[in-house]
Amino acid sequence: SQTIHQWPATLVQPVGSPLSLECTVEGTSNPNLYWYRQAAGRGLQLLFYSVGIGQISSEVPQNLSASRPQDRQFILSSKKLLLSDSGFYLCAWSVQGRAFFGQGTRLTVV
Amino acid sequence: GIQVEQSPPDLILQEGANSTLRCNFSDSVNNLQWFHQNPWGQLINLFYIPSGTKQNGRLSATTVATERYSLLYISSSQTTDSGVYFCAVETGTASKLTFGTGTRLQVTL
């Protein structure tokens, strides 16, 4: 069966520090991959999505970037975090339209 | 871009009650899904329902794509049903999934 791994579960980072969140999917090939962010008490904002290796689409301008170095690996990065980057980050994958989410990373920038 | 609105935004039910959650979308979609986000933040896929009706236990969903809405029915609600319910729609050829505004449900004893 398919599983998705996202880590770490929680992260506290100082302003200006770099960020790397990783997400891997097992049990499927060529999935669509997504990064979402959820601010406290709010809906989900699509940040990036990828339909294949090296193919990244960005939805909103920000100081974040994403990469897909392997078919089932999706990485969210930042060179310098801002306070406004705090939130709950969720990785998701979909095949044939149906989407499944990882456990999420709760990021607090201090 | 497409707008996805959910109603009501908040709902409080007594255990055992039934409820209907609504999702309206502003444009044609390829598919529609319903998710439940539990109090720990985990998002669970409830239904993949581009059209028609599906049932899973106490939950059922109906999508009328031509009229651009979907309904999620919860019967005999339980405290474990508490959380936020989202609908999400897929548009275009790039499989982009856009989430609705959510309905926060609290089921009390």
Side-chain angles (χ1 to χ4, degrees):
Chain A
S1 63
Q2 303 92 343
T3 56
I4 181 168
H5 302 280
Q6 185 182 344
W7 66 92
T10 59
L11 192 58
V12 180
Q13 292 284 101
V15 169
S17 64
L19 173 74
S20 181
L21 301 180
E22 187 166 343
C23 171
T24 60
V25 181
E26 295 178 359
T28 188
S29 297
N30 196 30
N32 293 330
L33 296 173
Y34 308 84
W35 279 110
Y36 285 87
R37 177 170 61 198
Q38 186 177 32
R42 305 285 294 277
L44 278 78
Q45 179 188 36
L46 178 62
L47 301 176
F48 300 95
Y49 66 98
S50 171
V51 298
I53 296 174
Q55 301 178 59
I56 310 294
S57 296
S58 174
E59 285 298 296
V60 293
Q62 60 215 331
N63 71 324
L64 300 172
S65 62
S67 62
R68 184 170 178 174
Q70 300 179 41
D71 180 44
R72 290 171 286 179
Q73 184 184 30
F74 206 22
I75 298 172
L76 182 69
S77 304
S78 173
K79 292 182 180 178
K80 290 185 178 182
L81 283 168
L82 307 173
L83 287 174
S84 57
D85 291 324
S86 294
F88 189 48
Y89 288 82
L90 289 147
C91 178
W93 68 276
S94 74
V95 171
Q96 296 180 339
R98 190 161 186 179
F100 299 91
F101 282 79
Q103 300 274 12
T105 297
R106 205 164 297 279
L107 171 66
T108 304
V109 182
V110 297
Chain B
I2 190 169
Q3 304 299 312
V4 186
E5 298 287 335
Q6 292 184 241
S7 60
D10 297 279
L11 186 59
I12 299 176
L13 296 175
Q14 203 161 22
E15 196 172 43
N18 303 327
S19 63
T20 301
L21 282 57
R22 187 176 180 102
C23 171
N24 291 330
F25 42 97
S26 61
D27 205 347
S28 299
V29 300
N30 298 334
N31 73 63
L32 184 142
Q33 301 175 60
W34 282 95
F35 295 87
H36 174 223
Q37 187 171 36
N38 65 25
W40 297 272
Q42 178 70 41
L43 273 159
I44 306 298
N45 191 304
L46 299 175
F47 291 102
Y48 172 85
I49 184 165
S51 63
T53 298
K54 289 186 178 180
Q55 180 152 10
N56 185 2
R58 296 180 296 105
L59 303 181
S60 65
T62 295
T63 296
V64 185
T66 53
E67 297 187 22
R68 298 181 184 171
Y69 74 89
S70 183
L71 302 174
L72 178 69
Y73 306 96
I74 304 174
S75 64
S76 304
S77 57
Q78 301 175 358
T79 56
T80 51
D81 295 331
S82 297
V84 183
Y85 289 80
F86 291 102
C87 64
V89 299
E90 180 185 302
T91 58
T93 58
S95 302
K96 191 171 73 170
L97 205 57
T98 301
F99 276 74
T101 48
T103 292
R104 185 175 299 275
L105 173 65
Q106 183 180 355
V107 180
T108 62
L109 292 172

